Amino acid sequence: MSCRLRYKTASETYHQASGSIFKHHNRFYSAPVAGSIPISKQKYVPTSGTYPKAFLASGIHVGVKPSNTQFPDLALLASRTPCSAAAVFTKNKFQAAPVTLSRQVLERRSGEGVRAIIVNSGCANAVTGKGGLDDASAMGSTVDSCFDQSEESAAGASSTLVMSTGVIGQRLPISRILSAIPNAYSALSSTHADWLLAARAICTTDTFPKLLSRTFSLPSSPGITYSLAGMTKGAGMIHPNMATLLAMLFTDAPIPAETLQPLLAHAVDRSFNAISVDGDTSTNDTLAFLANGAAGGQPITSVDSEDGRAITEVVTSFTQQLSQLVIRDGEGATKFVRVRVINASSFPDARKIAATIARSPLVKTALYGKDANWGRILCAIGYTDGLGPGAVVPEKTSVSFVPADGSAALKLLVKGEPESVDEARAGMILEEEDLEILVDLGGGEGGAGKEEASYWFCDFSHEYVTINGDYRT
């Protein structure tokens, strides 16, 4: 199969977001057959971007799912030059074929010399046996064949990471995908339109494409402007224990693989590992980070260096913003909630308590019903597993609702004593889309705890049940 690269100077396949790609508001279970962006979500879709040097993107239609007859469902992200790469993967024991393959690629290459990521939506290629592994391998090798093979062959391993998302337990229409990969390669471009099209192509039940970009500088090279871009997908089966669903980060900063992996792990633990829609962890969760160094400057050889600390802050903040778009698009969600646990004895304790509250069905349904039932929050704190001794002292624990408009917090429990709650004000706070639940542990048993952690989640609605009751149909 021959591939000849023709980099586009402008998108030749993209339809404007207000045009044919997004017309009607429905959720679908692969790239939508009649996609639209709800009015309330359009503010989260960027109209422009600043993308890292030498990275290119494309999104094309394949028809992975038969019901999708025209919309993009195959994305290709590639670098003109080899990249350092790192990734985090699902801890679900039924790991999808592309997870297994991508892990092998990184191990065999020691995180260096990666050129591309190929992603299909519409079929997860999970629990598909040896045939599924063969399909994932074929996707990677077909992309590899589009590049100069001298460096790739020398490493003896594929230079392409593979991701899939969609229904579990079904085989890919692999012939259709493989024949389309040269078209995806030829369509590669650096334009915002094509980055957005790639972000759209990886969507499943998402109602909007999730794409961010930003620029930054580093202490050692103040005159160089670096760029960081990322995309993710997901709206359900979200309670990650590594990364999330699918996500990709790209930068033109010079970061070797041995620095990139701990940097990514730190950022993910405070972002993609701190979100929850429904408490389920997917078989396909993967977050990959590629750095090609195309902008120049001194390599960042340690996360503990001045540059390392600076970029850790940049990437952590960026991944928090990107991961929160998933919660903004949670299946059936009407609320975007941050639970912040402060004055804890340790960061792990704070994080476990925040996660337990975030995945509580009773807390989530109360929020949907606009019911200030803070007893459910206390209940979740009390049954949190794996806490250190004296982590929770009821007589020191306080809970408040913090409105998004910046007005004073509504105190619900103060040092173990219930407050007389203004139900009218509570109702007004819960009418808003955004809310913070603040849990103050009072320093724990010793009183000296100062650690804190946050988790972001959404509510449970009738629509969530409807969406997931007919997922395959």
Side-chain angles (χ1 to χ4, degrees), residues 274-293:
I275 61 172
S276 183
V277 169
D278 49 20
D280 276 0
T281 299
S282 169
T283 55
N284 290 58
D285 291 353
T286 303
L287 192 160
F289 193 179
L290 271 58
N292 64 10

Side-chain angles (χ1 to χ4, degrees), residues 27-374:
R27 287 187 188 265
F28 296 89
Y29 310 114
S30 61
V33 294
S36 74
I37 299 178
I39 293 175
S40 63
K41 308 294 185 183
Q42 290 176 7
K43 60 188 175 184
Y44 302 121
V45 181
T47 57
S48 63
T50 305
Y51 299 101
K53 296 177 178 64
F55 277 107
L56 305 157
S58 69
I60 67 168
H61 168 257
V62 174
V64 174
K65 201 165 186 182
S67 58
N68 175 26
T69 60
Q70 58 181 314
F71 296 102
D73 54 1
L74 185 70
L76 180 60
L77 293 305
S79 173
R80 297 178 189 269
T81 58
C83 304
S84 301
V88 284
F89 300 97
T90 184
K91 292 184 179 178
N92 190 306
K93 290 181 173 57
F94 288 95
Q95 298 194 356
V99 170
T100 300
L101 180 84
S102 295
R103 194 192 303 274
Q104 291 173 350
V105 169
L106 291 174
E107 289 175 351
R108 290 171 181 171
R109 286 191 160 273
S110 299
E112 299 292 350
V114 173
R115 291 293 297 272
I117 303 174
I118 185 77
V119 192
N120 75 270
S121 62
C123 177
N125 191 14
V127 198
T128 46
K130 183 180 181 302
L133 284 169
D134 291 342
D135 291 345
S137 179
M139 288 175 65
S141 61
T142 302
V143 175
D144 292 340
S145 70
C146 298
F147 294 100
D148 179 357
Q149 290 297 290
S150 58
E151 187 167 349
E152 283 74 9
S153 298
S158 173
S159 62
T160 301
L161 304 182
V162 180
M163 301 183 188
S164 298
T165 180
V167 177
I168 295 169
Q170 297 180 1
R171 290 286 297 277
L172 291 167
I174 192 62
S175 296
R176 198 180 306 155
I177 292 173
L178 298 183
S179 64
I181 285 175
N183 297 332
Y185 185 80
S186 296
L188 284 169
S189 166
S190 60
T191 67
H192 170 70
D194 285 286
W195 277 87
L196 188 61
L197 200 58
R200 190 69 195 92
I202 69 175
C203 292
T204 53
T205 60
D206 309 63
T207 64
F208 65 93
K210 300 165 181 64
L211 174 68
L212 291 178
S213 63
R214 63 159 294 178
T215 59
F216 63 96
S217 61
L218 293 171
S220 68
S221 307
I224 298 178
T225 298
Y226 296 103
S227 295
L228 174 64
M231 64 180 66
T232 187
K233 59 79 49 185
M237 199 176 281
I238 309 300
H239 186 72
N241 191 17
M242 49 84 242
T244 183
L245 16 234
L246 300 182
M248 292 155 276
L249 303 175
F250 308 89
T251 186
D252 49 18
I255 315 174
E258 59 267 24
T259 306
L260 202 60
Q261 189 67 49
L263 166 62
L264 180 61
H266 176 93
V268 164
D269 207 33
R270 290 155 178 81
S271 57
F272 283 99
N273 268 357
I275 61 172
S276 183
V277 169
D278 49 20
D280 276 0
T281 299
S282 169
T283 55
N284 290 58
D285 291 353
T286 303
L287 192 160
F289 193 179
L290 271 58
N292 64 10
Q298 296 296 317
I300 303 172
T301 57
S302 170
V303 292
D304 296 320
S305 66
E306 188 178 15
D307 279 354
R309 289 189 295 271
I311 198 165
T312 296
E313 184 176 343
V314 167
V315 173
T316 300
S317 174
F318 185 84
T319 53
Q320 285 178 343
Q321 294 176 53
L322 187 61
S323 66
Q324 288 166 28
L325 292 177
V326 176
I327 302 303
R328 294 284 184 192
D329 200 25
E331 290 173 347
T334 68
K335 294 281 187 291
F336 174 85
V337 188
R338 178 188 185 185
V339 55
R340 187 159 67 103
V341 179
I342 64 173
N343 295 322
S345 299
S346 69
F347 173 75
D349 284 348
R351 190 173 179 279
K352 288 173 184 176
I353 290 170
T356 302
I357 295 169
R359 66 172 179 258
S360 166
L362 291 179
V363 171
K364 293 158 80 72
T365 51
L367 292 172
Y368 173 66
K370 304 179 179 64
D371 179 7
N373 192 338
W374 54 267

